[in-house]
């Protein structure tokens, strides 16, 4: 029997998966669902495989999430609706063995769980495979490059960006050039800092906080 746990702060979809497993996969048991990695690790982890959602509002560090679960001696399969190649690749680089999209058929979820239990990599569908192999998934941005792009995405002028980061305004183009070169190697020819910021947002390398309610 393959014991499976899931980390997802919206667990309703997992009830359907649990019903599918009980009917079609007698060797797979979804035994626990947790809203966070911290909740999962609050007790000794007995699951062989953990299905991990990428979108955990209180635990945004994907690499850390995967590594914490792996340190508990469980395999990780990403189970998500997030199709941004950068953030998916980050999870795989951290040690996750597979990618399952929440819209994929149940049998493919089962196959990914079984493969992970054997220590094998698995992508549940053509779309999942395309996300993992997207050339932009191999772009690697430094923390400083992410900071620069985040501030650009927020619409801040260069002078203010330089001041906020404690760097010279003349240094800013150097970071942008490096990012441009990385995306160019991935097959994207860019023309402006705004485009670079847009790529980084689309790929999941940076995020903007949601607008706060004004009332």
């Amino acid at each position: 029997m393959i014991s499976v746990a899931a980390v997802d702060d919206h667990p309703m979809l997992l009830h359907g998966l649990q019903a599918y497993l009980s009917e079609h996969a007698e060797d797979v048991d979804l035994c626990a669902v947790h809203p966070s990695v911290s909740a999962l690790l609050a007790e000794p982890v007995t699951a062989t495989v953990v299905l991990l959602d990428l979108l955990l509002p209180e635990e945004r560090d994907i690499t850390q999430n995967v590594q914490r679960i792996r340190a508990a001696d469980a395999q990780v399969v990403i189970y998500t609706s997030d199709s941004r190649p950068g953030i998916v690749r980050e999870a795989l680089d951290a040690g996750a063995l597979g990618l399952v999209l929440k819209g994929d058929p149940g049998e493919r979820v089962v196959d990914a769980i079984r493969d992970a239990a054997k220590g094998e990599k698995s992508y549940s569908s053509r779309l999942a495979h395309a996300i993992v192999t997207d050339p932009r998934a191999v772009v690697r941005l430094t923390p400083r490059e992410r900071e620069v792009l985040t501030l650009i995405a927020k619409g801040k002028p260069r002078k203010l960006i330089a001041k906020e980061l404690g760097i010279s305004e003349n240094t800013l183009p150097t970071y942008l050039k490096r990012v441009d070169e990385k995306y160019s190697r991935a097959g994207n020819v860019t023309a402006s800092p705004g485009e670079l910021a847009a790529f980084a947002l689309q790929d999941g390398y940076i995020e903007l906080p949601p607008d706060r309610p004004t009332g």
Side-chain angles (χ1 to χ4, degrees), residues 69-112:
I69 296 171
R70 291 292 296 116
D73 203 28
Q75 299 290 2
V76 178
V77 172
I78 301 303
Y79 185 60
T80 187
S81 57
D82 196 327
S83 60
R84 294 174 294 174
I87 198 170
V88 168
R89 189 72 246 178
E90 185 176 341
L92 297 175
D93 288 348
L97 280 182
L99 172 64
V100 177
L101 300 178
K102 289 185 176 179
D104 288 339
E107 63 266 22
R108 291 179 179 167
V109 181
V110 173
D111 287 343

Short mmCIF file of all heavy atoms in Angstrom, two decimals, residues 69-112:
data_model
loop_
_atom_site.label_atom_id
_atom_site.label_comp_id
_atom_site.label_asym_id
_atom_site.label_seq_id
_atom_site.Cartn_x
_atom_site.Cartn_y
_atom_site.Cartn_z
N ILE A 69 9.80 18.73 3.03
CA ILE A 69 9.11 17.44 2.91
C ILE A 69 10.10 16.33 2.60
O ILE A 69 10.03 15.24 3.17
CB ILE A 69 8.01 17.52 1.84
CG1 ILE A 69 6.93 18.52 2.26
CG2 ILE A 69 7.39 16.14 1.61
CD1 ILE A 69 5.92 18.82 1.19
N ARG A 70 11.04 16.61 1.71
CA ARG A 70 12.05 15.60 1.38
C ARG A 70 12.90 15.24 2.59
O ARG A 70 13.31 14.09 2.77
CB ARG A 70 12.95 16.11 0.24
CG ARG A 70 12.26 16.23 -1.10
CD ARG A 70 11.89 14.87 -1.68
NE ARG A 70 13.07 14.07 -1.97
CZ ARG A 70 13.37 12.92 -1.36
NH1 ARG A 70 12.56 12.41 -0.45
NH2 ARG A 70 14.46 12.27 -1.69
N ALA A 71 13.16 16.25 3.45
CA ALA A 71 13.94 15.99 4.66
C ALA A 71 13.20 15.06 5.62
O ALA A 71 13.82 14.41 6.47
CB ALA A 71 14.27 17.30 5.35
N ALA A 72 11.87 15.00 5.47
CA ALA A 72 11.06 14.08 6.28
C ALA A 72 10.96 12.70 5.63
O ALA A 72 10.16 11.86 6.04
CB ALA A 72 9.67 14.66 6.50
N ASP A 73 11.74 12.50 4.59
CA ASP A 73 11.86 11.20 3.91
C ASP A 73 10.61 10.80 3.14
O ASP A 73 10.27 9.62 3.05
CB ASP A 73 12.23 10.10 4.92
CG ASP A 73 12.90 8.90 4.25
OD1 ASP A 73 13.55 9.11 3.20
OD2 ASP A 73 12.78 7.78 4.76
N ALA A 74 9.92 11.80 2.59
CA ALA A 74 8.77 11.53 1.71
C ALA A 74 9.07 12.06 0.32
O ALA A 74 9.74 13.09 0.18
CB ALA A 74 7.51 12.17 2.26
N GLN A 75 8.59 11.37 -0.69
CA GLN A 75 8.71 11.87 -2.06
C GLN A 75 7.65 12.95 -2.30
O GLN A 75 6.59 12.93 -1.67
CB GLN A 75 8.54 10.73 -3.06
CG GLN A 75 9.57 9.62 -2.94
CD GLN A 75 10.96 10.04 -3.36
OE1 GLN A 75 11.21 11.19 -3.72
NE2 GLN A 75 11.90 9.10 -3.32
N VAL A 76 7.93 13.85 -3.22
CA VAL A 76 7.03 14.96 -3.50
C VAL A 76 6.56 14.91 -4.95
O VAL A 76 7.38 14.79 -5.87
CB VAL A 76 7.70 16.32 -3.23
CG1 VAL A 76 6.75 17.47 -3.58
CG2 VAL A 76 8.14 16.43 -1.78
N VAL A 77 5.25 15.00 -5.12
CA VAL A 77 4.66 15.19 -6.45
C VAL A 77 3.90 16.51 -6.41
O VAL A 77 3.05 16.71 -5.54
CB VAL A 77 3.69 14.03 -6.81
CG1 VAL A 77 2.94 14.36 -8.11
CG2 VAL A 77 4.46 12.73 -6.97
N ILE A 78 4.22 17.41 -7.31
CA ILE A 78 3.51 18.68 -7.38
C ILE A 78 2.12 18.44 -7.95
O ILE A 78 1.98 17.86 -9.03
CB ILE A 78 4.28 19.70 -8.24
CG1 ILE A 78 5.68 19.93 -7.67
CG2 ILE A 78 3.52 21.01 -8.34
CD1 ILE A 78 5.69 20.40 -6.23
N TYR A 79 1.10 18.87 -7.21
CA TYR A 79 -0.30 18.69 -7.62
C TYR A 79 -0.95 20.06 -7.59
O TYR A 79 -1.27 20.59 -6.52
CB TYR A 79 -1.00 17.73 -6.65
CG TYR A 79 -2.42 17.37 -7.02
CD1 TYR A 79 -2.69 16.73 -8.23
CD2 TYR A 79 -3.47 17.65 -6.16
CE1 TYR A 79 -4.00 16.39 -8.56
CE2 TYR A 79 -4.78 17.31 -6.48
CZ TYR A 79 -5.03 16.68 -7.69
OH TYR A 79 -6.32 16.35 -8.02
N THR A 80 -1.11 20.67 -8.76
CA THR A 80 -1.41 22.10 -8.79
C THR A 80 -2.16 22.50 -10.04
O THR A 80 -2.18 21.77 -11.04
CB THR A 80 -0.09 22.90 -8.70
OG1 THR A 80 -0.35 24.29 -8.57
CG2 THR A 80 0.77 22.66 -9.94
N SER A 81 -2.75 23.67 -9.99
CA SER A 81 -3.35 24.28 -11.17
C SER A 81 -2.43 25.35 -11.74
O SER A 81 -2.75 25.98 -12.76
CB SER A 81 -4.70 24.93 -10.81
OG SER A 81 -4.53 25.88 -9.77
N ASP A 82 -1.28 25.56 -11.13
CA ASP A 82 -0.33 26.59 -11.54
C ASP A 82 0.51 26.07 -12.71
O ASP A 82 1.20 25.06 -12.58
CB ASP A 82 0.58 26.97 -10.38
CG ASP A 82 1.33 28.28 -10.60
OD1 ASP A 82 1.66 28.57 -11.76
OD2 ASP A 82 1.56 29.01 -9.63
N SER A 83 0.44 26.75 -13.84
CA SER A 83 1.17 26.29 -15.03
C SER A 83 2.35 27.19 -15.39
O SER A 83 2.85 27.13 -16.51
CB SER A 83 0.21 26.22 -16.23
OG SER A 83 -0.36 27.49 -16.50
N ARG A 84 2.81 28.01 -14.44
CA ARG A 84 3.96 28.88 -14.72
C ARG A 84 5.24 28.04 -14.74
O ARG A 84 5.57 27.39 -13.74
CB ARG A 84 4.06 29.98 -13.68
CG ARG A 84 2.89 30.96 -13.71
CD ARG A 84 2.95 31.95 -12.57
NE ARG A 84 2.77 31.29 -11.28
CZ ARG A 84 2.89 31.91 -10.11
NH1 ARG A 84 3.23 33.19 -10.08
NH2 ARG A 84 2.71 31.25 -8.98
N PRO A 85 5.96 28.03 -15.86
CA PRO A 85 7.10 27.11 -15.99
C PRO A 85 8.22 27.36 -14.99
O PRO A 85 8.85 26.41 -14.52
CB PRO A 85 7.58 27.33 -17.43
CG PRO A 85 7.05 28.67 -17.82
CD PRO A 85 5.75 28.82 -17.09
N GLY A 86 8.47 28.62 -14.66
CA GLY A 86 9.57 28.91 -13.75
C GLY A 86 9.36 28.33 -12.37
O GLY A 86 10.25 27.70 -11.78
N ILE A 87 8.17 28.52 -11.83
CA ILE A 87 7.89 28.06 -10.48
C ILE A 87 7.79 26.54 -10.42
O ILE A 87 8.19 25.92 -9.44
CB ILE A 87 6.59 28.74 -9.95
CG1 ILE A 87 6.51 28.64 -8.43
CG2 ILE A 87 5.35 28.17 -10.60
CD1 ILE A 87 5.39 29.47 -7.84
N VAL A 88 7.30 25.93 -11.50
CA VAL A 88 7.25 24.47 -11.56
C VAL A 88 8.66 23.89 -11.60
O VAL A 88 8.99 22.95 -10.87
CB VAL A 88 6.44 24.00 -12.78
CG1 VAL A 88 6.63 22.50 -13.01
CG2 VAL A 88 4.96 24.33 -12.60
N ARG A 89 9.50 24.48 -12.42
CA ARG A 89 10.88 24.00 -12.54
C ARG A 89 11.63 24.16 -11.23
O ARG A 89 12.46 23.32 -10.86
CB ARG A 89 11.58 24.77 -13.65
CG ARG A 89 12.95 24.25 -14.03
CD ARG A 89 12.84 22.95 -14.79
NE ARG A 89 13.39 21.83 -14.06
CZ ARG A 89 13.38 20.59 -14.50
NH1 ARG A 89 12.83 20.29 -15.65
NH2 ARG A 89 13.90 19.62 -13.79
N GLU A 90 11.34 25.23 -10.52
CA GLU A 90 11.97 25.46 -9.22
C GLU A 90 11.64 24.32 -8.25
O GLU A 90 12.51 23.84 -7.51
CB GLU A 90 11.49 26.80 -8.63
CG GLU A 90 12.18 27.20 -7.34
CD GLU A 90 11.75 28.56 -6.84
OE1 GLU A 90 11.21 29.35 -7.63
OE2 GLU A 90 11.95 28.83 -5.64
N ALA A 91 10.39 23.89 -8.27
CA ALA A 91 9.98 22.78 -7.40
C ALA A 91 10.68 21.48 -7.78
O ALA A 91 11.13 20.72 -6.92
CB ALA A 91 8.46 22.60 -7.48
N LEU A 92 10.80 21.22 -9.07
CA LEU A 92 11.47 20.00 -9.53
C LEU A 92 12.96 20.04 -9.20
O LEU A 92 13.55 19.03 -8.79
CB LEU A 92 11.25 19.81 -11.03
CG LEU A 92 9.80 19.60 -11.45
CD1 LEU A 92 9.69 19.54 -12.97
CD2 LEU A 92 9.22 18.33 -10.83
N ASP A 93 13.57 21.20 -9.36
CA ASP A 93 14.99 21.33 -9.03
C ASP A 93 15.23 21.12 -7.54
O ASP A 93 16.31 20.69 -7.12
CB ASP A 93 15.51 22.71 -9.44
CG ASP A 93 15.65 22.87 -10.95
OD1 ASP A 93 15.57 21.84 -11.66
OD2 ASP A 93 15.84 24.00 -11.42
N ALA A 94 14.23 21.44 -6.73
CA ALA A 94 14.36 21.27 -5.27
C ALA A 94 14.19 19.82 -4.84
O ALA A 94 14.47 19.49 -3.68
CB ALA A 94 13.34 22.15 -4.55
N GLY A 95 13.73 18.96 -5.74
CA GLY A 95 13.64 17.55 -5.40
C GLY A 95 12.30 16.89 -5.63
O GLY A 95 12.14 15.69 -5.37
N ALA A 96 11.30 17.65 -6.12
CA ALA A 96 10.02 17.02 -6.46
C ALA A 96 10.22 16.07 -7.64
O ALA A 96 10.99 16.37 -8.56
CB ALA A 96 8.98 18.08 -6.79
N LEU A 97 9.51 14.96 -7.62
CA LEU A 97 9.70 13.95 -8.66
C LEU A 97 8.70 14.04 -9.80
O LEU A 97 8.95 13.47 -10.87
CB LEU A 97 9.62 12.54 -8.05
CG LEU A 97 10.88 12.03 -7.34
CD1 LEU A 97 10.63 10.61 -6.83
CD2 LEU A 97 12.09 12.06 -8.27
N GLY A 98 7.58 14.72 -9.59
CA GLY A 98 6.58 14.72 -10.65
C GLY A 98 5.72 15.95 -10.63
O GLY A 98 5.74 16.75 -9.68
N LEU A 99 4.96 16.10 -11.71
CA LEU A 99 4.01 17.19 -11.85
C LEU A 99 2.68 16.62 -12.30
O LEU A 99 2.60 15.93 -13.33
CB LEU A 99 4.50 18.22 -12.87
CG LEU A 99 3.50 19.32 -13.25
CD1 LEU A 99 3.17 20.19 -12.04
CD2 LEU A 99 4.05 20.19 -14.37
N VAL A 100 1.64 16.91 -11.53
CA VAL A 100 0.28 16.54 -11.88
C VAL A 100 -0.57 17.81 -11.86
O VAL A 100 -0.56 18.54 -10.87
CB VAL A 100 -0.32 15.51 -10.90
CG1 VAL A 100 -1.76 15.21 -11.25
CG2 VAL A 100 0.51 14.24 -10.87
N LEU A 101 -1.27 18.07 -12.95
CA LEU A 101 -2.16 19.22 -13.00
C LEU A 101 -3.54 18.80 -12.50
O LEU A 101 -4.00 17.68 -12.76
CB LEU A 101 -2.24 19.76 -14.42
CG LEU A 101 -0.89 20.23 -14.99
CD1 LEU A 101 -1.08 20.71 -16.44
CD2 LEU A 101 -0.27 21.33 -14.15
N LYS A 102 -4.20 19.68 -11.79
CA LYS A 102 -5.46 19.31 -11.13
C LYS A 102 -6.58 18.96 -12.11
O LYS A 102 -7.54 18.32 -11.72
CB LYS A 102 -5.89 20.43 -10.19
CG LYS A 102 -4.99 20.52 -8.95
CD LYS A 102 -5.47 21.55 -7.96
CE LYS A 102 -4.62 21.53 -6.70
NZ LYS A 102 -5.03 22.54 -5.72
N GLY A 103 -6.42 19.34 -13.36
CA GLY A 103 -7.42 18.96 -14.35
C GLY A 103 -7.13 17.66 -15.04
O GLY A 103 -7.92 17.20 -15.88
N ASP A 104 -6.04 17.00 -14.71
CA ASP A 104 -5.67 15.75 -15.38
C ASP A 104 -6.52 14.58 -14.88
O ASP A 104 -7.00 14.59 -13.74
CB ASP A 104 -4.18 15.44 -15.14
CG ASP A 104 -3.26 16.37 -15.92
OD1 ASP A 104 -3.73 16.95 -16.92
OD2 ASP A 104 -2.09 16.50 -15.53
N PRO A 105 -6.70 13.56 -15.72
CA PRO A 105 -7.50 12.39 -15.32
C PRO A 105 -6.92 11.69 -14.10
O PRO A 105 -5.71 11.69 -13.87
CB PRO A 105 -7.43 11.49 -16.56
CG PRO A 105 -7.10 12.40 -17.69
CD PRO A 105 -6.23 13.47 -17.11
N GLY A 106 -7.79 11.05 -13.34
CA GLY A 106 -7.39 10.38 -12.11
C GLY A 106 -6.33 9.31 -12.32
O GLY A 106 -5.43 9.16 -11.50
N GLU A 107 -6.42 8.58 -13.44
CA GLU A 107 -5.45 7.50 -13.65
C GLU A 107 -4.03 8.03 -13.80
O GLU A 107 -3.06 7.36 -13.43
CB GLU A 107 -5.82 6.64 -14.86
CG GLU A 107 -5.82 7.36 -16.20
CD GLU A 107 -7.21 7.89 -16.57
OE1 GLU A 107 -8.04 8.07 -15.65
OE2 GLU A 107 -7.44 8.09 -17.78
N ARG A 108 -3.92 9.27 -14.30
CA ARG A 108 -2.58 9.84 -14.45
C ARG A 108 -2.03 10.32 -13.11
O ARG A 108 -0.82 10.30 -12.89
CB ARG A 108 -2.62 10.97 -15.47
CG ARG A 108 -2.87 10.46 -16.88
CD ARG A 108 -2.95 11.54 -17.91
NE ARG A 108 -3.18 10.98 -19.24
CZ ARG A 108 -3.53 11.71 -20.29
NH1 ARG A 108 -3.69 13.02 -20.18
NH2 ARG A 108 -3.72 11.13 -21.47
N VAL A 109 -2.92 10.73 -12.24
CA VAL A 109 -2.50 11.06 -10.88
C VAL A 109 -1.96 9.80 -10.20
O VAL A 109 -0.91 9.82 -9.56
CB VAL A 109 -3.67 11.64 -10.06
CG1 VAL A 109 -3.21 11.99 -8.65
CG2 VAL A 109 -4.26 12.86 -10.75
N VAL A 110 -2.68 8.71 -10.36
CA VAL A 110 -2.27 7.43 -9.77
C VAL A 110 -0.91 7.01 -10.32
O VAL A 110 -0.02 6.57 -9.57
CB VAL A 110 -3.32 6.35 -10.03
CG1 VAL A 110 -2.80 4.98 -9.57
CG2 VAL A 110 -4.61 6.69 -9.32
N ASP A 111 -0.73 7.12 -11.63
CA ASP A 111 0.55 6.73 -12.24
C ASP A 111 1.70 7.56 -11.65
O ASP A 111 2.78 7.02 -11.37
CB ASP A 111 0.50 6.94 -13.75
CG ASP A 111 -0.37 5.92 -14.46
OD1 ASP A 111 -0.67 4.87 -13.84
OD2 ASP A 111 -0.77 6.16 -15.62
N ALA A 112 1.47 8.86 -11.48
CA ALA A 112 2.52 9.73 -10.93
C ALA A 112 2.85 9.35 -9.49
O ALA A 112 4.01 9.36 -9.09
CB ALA A 112 2.09 11.19 -11.00
#
